[in-house]
Amino acid sequence: MTQAATIVRTGRKFDQVLQGAREVFMADGFEGASVDDIARAAGVSKATLYSYFPDKRLLFMEVAQTECCRMAENVIAMIDETRPVREVLTITATQLTRFLVSEFAQQVFRICVAEHDRFPELGKAFYEAGPQNGQRQMAEYLEKAVARGELVIDDVHFAAEQFSELCKVRLWTRSAFGIQTSFSQAEIDEVATSAVDMFLARYGA
């Protein structure tokens, strides 16, 4: 079991710590984020913060994992598996594309890359909570769609990864390199619709 897994994730102050840490990490990055600033933003003492997170890396990983899980839960709540596969995939692609170019996802990505040599576990934690978790859930849905005869896929895990990559087209690269910092709903819809079209052209029954 990892250190992060032993954290007691309950209580109002725990939520305050996470919110304060999120604000500071987004504004100052990982290296620039100080424990004093996080405690101040959270409205708690340093002693309280350390009682939850004895290491800043654990706090960053918890922030990243919490946000990714929230995003995944929101998508799942919007999906009705009895609806046509195109509709389900379009909802998923739209939400995923929006998240990929969000300020949070982009900042966490930059932090993971910048800190890779010193703290490779940061990137690993974000990958597991974000891309890997999302692809696993997508693979589970695709497997059910295949069983219903809606899709024809030999490797649902590979197909799930392809789907997420299709949702990165154009916008993610522009965002990652700072070429564009805000994206309209029309731009997001265009990428999502195209991703679904291409996916179904390959795997549609």
Side-chain angles (χ1 to χ4, degrees):
M1 182 176 292
T2 64
Q3 274 186 288
T6 65
I7 294 170
V8 178
R9 297 176 173 84
T10 58
R12 177 177 56 82
K13 288 188 176 181
F14 176 80
D15 293 336
Q16 289 178 215
V17 169
L18 279 190
Q19 182 57 38
R22 187 188 192 284
E23 293 173 6
V24 175
F25 284 134
M26 291 303 98
D28 301 333
F30 180 81
E31 182 61 26
S34 73
V35 173
D36 286 332
D37 288 342
I38 293 173
R40 190 177 304 111
V44 301
S45 67
K46 286 174 66 175
T48 296
L49 191 153
Y50 280 128
S51 71
Y52 286 114
F53 299 97
D55 187 315
K56 188 169 73 170
R57 286 174 291 181
L58 295 179
L59 179 51
F60 175 78
M61 287 190 286
E62 186 71 21
V63 169
Q65 290 168 336
T66 298
E67 194 72 15
C68 289
C69 288
R70 181 182 296 117
M71 182 267 182
E73 289 169 1
N74 288 341
V75 173
I76 291 172
M78 296 174 67
I79 290 176
D80 178 356
E81 293 184 1
T82 66
R83 303 298 297 170
V85 66
R86 178 179 288 276
E87 182 178 321
V88 172
L89 292 178
T90 300
I91 290 172
T92 303
T94 302
Q95 296 302 312
L96 177 56
T97 301
R98 182 181 293 116
F99 179 74
L100 288 170
V101 298
S102 68
E103 179 185 1
F104 176 84
Q106 287 293 317
Q107 179 71 318
V108 170
F109 172 74
R110 294 186 188 102
I111 290 172
C112 290
V113 171
E115 302 294 333
H116 171 71
D117 290 339
R118 292 190 305 160
F119 306 129
E121 65 269 28
L122 295 183
K124 181 174 183 292
F126 181 59
Y127 175 77
E128 290 176 349
Q132 187 176 68
N133 181 45
Q135 289 162 18
R136 177 184 58 78
Q137 293 185 21
M138 173 56 69
E140 290 176 358
Y141 169 75
L142 295 179
E143 196 166 35
K144 294 175 183 176
V146 169
R148 291 193 297 266
E150 296 175 322
L151 297 171
V152 179
I153 304 174
D154 292 330
D155 186 340
V156 293
H157 295 282
F158 186 72
E161 192 162 352
Q162 286 180 312
F163 184 80
S164 65
E165 290 301 311
L166 287 171
C167 294
K168 284 183 169 183
V169 170
R170 183 184 294 169
L171 304 188
W172 188 89
T173 304
R174 291 182 183 180
S175 182
F177 285 96
I179 306 302
Q180 188 174 348
T181 56
S182 62
F183 303 88
S184 68
Q185 186 61 48
E187 289 176 300
I188 291 171
D189 288 343
E190 181 183 20
V191 171
T193 300
S194 177
V196 174
D197 286 344
M198 293 189 70
F199 191 82
L200 290 179
R202 172 64 179 86
Y203 294 117

